[in-house]
Amino acid sequence: DIQMTQSPSSLSASVGDRVTITCRASQSIINYVNWYQQRPGKAPKLLIYSASSLQSGVPSRFSGSGSGTDFTLTISTLQPEDFATYSCQQSYSTPLTFGGGTKVEI
Amino acid sequence: QVQLQESGPGLVKPSQTLSLTCTVSGGSISRSGTYYWSWIRQPAGKGLEWIGRIYTSGNIDYNPSLKSRVTISLDMSKNQFSLKVSSVTAADTAVYYCARAHFTSDRFDPWGQGTLVTVSS
């Protein structure tokens, strides 16, 4: 199985900050990474697919980059509604696997 | 706009079978074209775990870690797909989500709201 390791596991930030979350795959997965946002008690919401494609309806302050084994999710200007947990997911091979999540706290 | 909704018992006894159904509205499973249907679970405070997927062609893939205990099926006449997990233990306690995924990127969107299943006597 491909392991997805996220860092940090949690971070504290303020409204207006630029936030970067990293996801590292245990082997090269080219660009087969998707990113999700999950608010407490809610289902995950797709933000980014194929490493850098913005899902329709998602604000442009969210962006993704990377290839091979290292990927990043960036929130350019943190908004109050962005405080949540973010998870990466590899879609290179089955079983599909997720990172452990990064909790963005105030 | 496609929406998904999980349903099923919230409490299952150890060694019994967990059964959940996902009802799809706003679109037809049988005409889902470039999509397939999946189950994912999340134990409290932990990360997401992919359980498996089913295509409208009938092809099915399971996570090897659960394969011996999991069955996913499709009922196109009811626009539903289902999950069964046999011989459950406390380790199967989790929020279970159903989701639609795109063929080419395996991106999950949308998701159901999730349903908590607790395994306890």
Side-chain angles (χ1 to χ4, degrees), chain A residues 16 45 57 72 78 84 93:
Chain A
K45 172 189 172 185
T72 59
L78 199 65
S93 66

Side-chain angles (χ1 to χ4, degrees), chain B residues 8-20 85-90 92-93 96 116-121:
Chain B
L11 181 64
V12 181
K13 288 182 166 52
S15 80
Q16 293 190 343
T17 296
L18 176 163
S19 296
L20 296 174
V85 182
S86 63
S87 304
V88 296
T89 69
D92 294 307
T93 295
Y96 285 76
L116 174 62
V117 178
T118 302
V119 179
S120 175
S121 56

